[in-house]
Amino acid sequence: MNRDYWQSVLEREEQARGYHEGFKLLFCPWHLIETADTVFLSLNPGSDPSGEYMRIASDERGNSYLVRREAKHSPIAEQYRRLCDFIERDPETVLAGALMPFRTSNWLRSRDRTNISVSRPFWQKAFTCGRVHQVFCMGREVENEVVALTGAAIEREVPANWGKLSIRRYRAENGLLVYGLLHFSTYKMFSRPECVSALQGLLDSSR
């Protein structure tokens, strides 16, 4: 779990796998690997219109969603802040990152799904280290991967109160909780009171 090691891996694999827009594995400082009990995992980093901090293993400035210049380009920044408030976590202490670390303007499953393999060893170790107690997954692609990595079993599924969509909670043998939520870039759950009540019910019964 060495930052220099992962920086070199990502630099090498970006070129080898045909990506050209950069990469980011963690949207937070690297040291949070040693302290965070909560993970916020998105699918992959999008393009950065500012052209700054394009190729970094981690964001050493602080949480990317909270850095003003960076966050104004992210559609999920405010949703992330509100989730952290909802679960009573300082957003600067959450291990926030990407499942597939290479930047793209859009997710193309046929191209991008296989490249989750690059960061899989990193996230598997993070989930099994014993410090992480809960993982919030943005979207079904992330959810399915985390469930596979942790061996978590489903405990509860409830309507998300957004069309016919649902959200889920899983528990691994070591007690790790995995929450499968709608992806905040498309579904701004904290902007809909009906979704907030669904989230409350999903979390309340897990304690």
Side-chain angles (χ1 to χ4, degrees):
M1 303 293 269
N2 177 275
R3 187 179 189 273
D4 291 340
Y5 168 79
W6 279 100
Q7 182 72 30
S8 65
V9 167
L10 295 172
E11 288 172 356
R12 180 181 69 246
E13 293 295 332
E14 180 191 16
Q15 184 176 15
R17 292 170 184 263
Y19 292 96
H20 309 286
E21 297 183 63
F23 52 79
K24 186 189 289 187
L25 178 59
L26 293 183
F27 302 160
C28 62
W30 194 265
H31 71 81
L32 289 180
I33 294 170
E34 303 296 333
T35 59
D37 70 355
T38 299
V39 171
F40 177 85
L41 194 58
S42 191
L43 189 53
N44 76 309
S47 300
D48 184 352
S50 73
E52 296 182 316
Y53 307 102
M54 296 295 289
R55 291 176 168 83
I56 52 176
S58 59
D59 195 337
E60 297 305 301
R61 300 171 298 169
N63 188 286
S64 299
Y65 297 121
L66 306 181
V67 177
R68 174 175 292 185
R69 185 163 183 169
E70 183 102 350
K72 71 180 182 181
H73 300 301
S74 171
I76 69 176
E78 181 59 26
Q79 297 295 303
Y80 170 75
R81 293 187 184 93
R82 293 174 70 174
L83 171 66
C84 290
D85 183 61
F86 188 73
I87 62 175
E88 300 181 338
R89 290 295 186 277
D90 181 339
E92 292 283 11
T93 67
V94 172
L95 188 66
L99 179 63
M100 200 287 284
F102 303 111
R103 294 183 181 278
T104 61
S105 56
N106 63 294
W107 176 264
L108 182 60
R109 198 174 196 277
S110 60
R111 174 195 63 194
D112 301 325
R113 179 68 178 83
T114 186
N115 296 307
I116 291 173
S117 62
V118 173
S119 64
R120 188 174 285 131
F122 174 90
W123 288 114
Q124 186 164 40
K125 191 166 185 179
F127 299 147
T128 58
C129 69
R131 284 183 293 274
V132 174
H133 299 156
Q134 55 187 352
V135 183
F136 292 89
C137 304
M138 294 295 96
R140 201 61 183 265
E141 194 90 55
V142 178
E143 176 185 337
N144 289 344
E145 180 70 15
V146 174
V147 167
L149 284 175
T150 61
I154 192 163
E155 284 191 335
R156 185 170 172 79
E157 182 171 11
V158 301
N161 294 331
W162 197 311
K164 297 181 180 180
L165 300 173
S166 60
I167 53 179
R168 288 155 295 280
R169 184 184 75 243
Y170 306 78
R171 190 183 299 268
E173 287 188 2
N174 65 358
L176 174 73
L177 292 169
V178 178
Y179 296 99
L181 307 184
L182 308 184
H183 199 300
F184 289 164
S185 65
T186 302
Y187 304 97
K188 296 176 174 57
M189 298 188 74
F190 284 97
S191 299
R192 290 169 62 101
E194 314 95 288
C195 293
V196 175
S197 64
L199 287 165
Q200 188 69 62
L202 194 67
L203 268 70
D204 280 351
S205 57
S206 69
R207 306 306 181 187

